[in-house]
């Protein structure tokens, strides 16, 4: 059973390193600008905002090896998802219908513009993985809430674990909620309507691949517009160098979280977070975001 671990901010590193990574080495220097932004925001917060700061939760073993293997196998199957949308494929105006990332009804379709980089510039390890969009040469994403919530309909066991994990709270003393089967069954059939309660707050379900040189280094990055985010590590941490999930504690001190395959980190979406640069291997993660509970249609 998955176990929840509350996170507390570590003391400042005692070595000459500017900050520590999850293996007690030096954290990616490329994150120094993000750290300065986190420190600036902390200093601008009032006392109430600081008192209301919530640390993320680590959920150990949220997904099993079998569930992860099924996710990657089903998503990579021939004919299910594209291998990117690129201008150099001849799609100058771009063009893949995509589950709506900006409206309540995720079954609506919108067109995703062509990727920000050329396919030829994409990291070699990422060219064959399923994805809609390449953010950089080393980072691609697949939107699996498309096609009437494909992920929920296809991978029901994994979805049950993830959606239950998103209801975990520190006061539950390590318990992961098991959601009612009737609630989870809703939304898994093609003919269900758009108001299904199991999917009403699900904004996006994303599969991310980061190759060498990839990362999420943007200062001030947060999941704007969402309320709650969970990120599940799908890759073997022993086969990837770099790729730490980083949040920021008191006074903007960076916290690099030690995650193993199947572990998840759950946090309020407005929390600043980054991914350190990958220096070897391919980092794979699954991200789910929920709309605010009080959001109007």
């Amino acid at each position: 059973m998955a176990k929840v671990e509350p996170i507390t901010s570590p003391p400042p590193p005692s070595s000459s390193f500017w900050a520590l990574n999850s293996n007690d080495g030096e954290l990616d220097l490329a994150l120094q600008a993000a750290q300065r932004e986190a420190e600036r925001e902390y200093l601008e917060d009032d006392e109430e905002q600081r008192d209301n700061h919530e640390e993320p939760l680590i959920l150990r073993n949220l997904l099993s090896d079998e569930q992860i293997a099924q996710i990657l196998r089903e998503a990579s199957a021939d004919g299910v998802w594209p291998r990117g949308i690129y201008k150099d494929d001849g799609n100058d105006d771009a063009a893949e219908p995509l589950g709506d990332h900006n409206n309540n009804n995720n079954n609506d379709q919108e067109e995703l513009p062509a990727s920000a980089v050329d396919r030829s510039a994409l990291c070699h390890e990422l060219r064959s993985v399923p994805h809609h969009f390449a953010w950089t040469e080393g980072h691609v994403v697949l939107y699996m809430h498309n096609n009437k919530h494909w992920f929920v309909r296809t991978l029901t066991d994994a979805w049950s674990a993830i959606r239950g994990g998103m209801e975990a709270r520190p006061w539950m003393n390590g318990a992961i909620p098991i959601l009612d089967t009737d609630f989870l069954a809703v939304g898994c059939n093609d003919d269900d309507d758009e108001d299904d309660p199991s999917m009403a707050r699900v904004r996006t379900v994303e599969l991310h691949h980061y190759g060498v040189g990839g990362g999420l280094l943007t200062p001030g990055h947060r999941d704007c517009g969402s309320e709650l985010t969970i990120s599940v590590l799908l890759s073997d941490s022993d086969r990837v160098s770099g790729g730490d999930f980083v949040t920021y504690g008191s006074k903007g001190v960076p916290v690099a979280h030690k995650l193993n395959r199947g572990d998840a980190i759950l946090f309020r979406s407005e929390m600043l977070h980054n991914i350190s640069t990958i220096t070897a291997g391919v980092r794979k993660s699954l991200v789910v975001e929920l709309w605010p509970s009080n959001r109007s249609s």
Side-chain angles (χ1 to χ4, degrees), residues 70-103:
Q70 184 185 22
I71 290 169
L72 297 175
R73 182 176 63 251
E74 295 288 348
S76 299
D78 290 341
V80 176
W81 296 111
R83 265 55 176 177
I85 308 164
Y86 295 88
K87 290 183 178 179
D88 53 348
D89 290 339
N91 300 323
D92 288 338
D93 293 323
E96 180 78 9
L98 179 70
D100 191 351
H101 189 73
N102 297 308
N103 297 308

Side-chain angles (χ1 to χ4, degrees), residues 105-292:
N105 179 8
N106 282 344
N107 287 328
D108 288 344
Q109 301 289 304
E110 65 177 359
E111 289 189 351
L112 185 70
S115 293
V117 299
D118 291 339
R119 185 185 297 275
S120 59
L122 193 65
C123 174
H124 178 75
E125 292 81 5
L126 302 185
R127 295 181 185 180
S128 62
V129 304
H131 63 282
H132 285 106
F133 193 78
W135 288 106
T136 67
E137 293 88 344
H139 178 199
V140 299
V141 59
L142 177 70
Y143 297 106
M144 297 189 295
H145 54 277
N146 189 28
N147 189 18
K148 295 184 177 180
H149 311 305
W150 175 87
F151 185 90
V152 178
R153 293 185 295 105
T154 306
L155 298 153
T156 54
D157 287 345
W159 175 247
S160 176
I162 292 168
R163 193 63 183 84
M166 296 191 81
E167 298 301 319
R169 299 295 182 268
W171 50 265
M172 293 180 179
N173 297 319
I176 299 292
I178 298 175
L179 301 185
D180 183 84
T181 54
D182 291 337
F183 176 84
L184 286 167
V186 178
C188 295
N189 300 313
D190 290 337
D191 55 355
D192 284 328
D193 64 48
E194 63 189 44
D195 295 322
D196 293 339
S198 68
M199 297 303 300
R201 294 183 59 206
V202 176
R203 183 184 189 184
T204 184
V205 181
E206 303 170 356
L207 177 62
H208 291 260
H209 285 77
Y210 299 85
V212 173
L216 180 56
L217 308 174
T218 307
H221 175 80
R222 47 173 51 92
D223 298 331
C224 295
S226 297
E227 181 174 283
L228 195 63
T229 299
I230 193 169
S231 179
V232 190
L233 186 65
L234 305 183
S235 49
D236 188 337
S237 56
D238 292 336
R239 297 186 178 184
V240 179
S241 295
D244 280 333
F245 195 103
V246 178
T247 59
Y248 300 88
S250 177
K251 300 181 181 179
V253 173
V255 181
H257 300 279
K258 183 70 173 180
L259 299 176
N260 297 312
R261 191 173 192 246
D263 292 347
I265 184 166
L266 177 69
F267 56 97
R268 293 293 173 185
S269 301
E270 72 269 13
M271 178 177 289
L272 298 178
H273 59 280
N274 295 99
I275 305 293
S276 66
T277 305
I278 284 74
T279 57
V282 176
R283 185 187 194 275
K284 307 169 188 176
S285 61
L286 177 69
V287 175
V288 178
E289 297 175 26
L290 298 185
W291 288 114

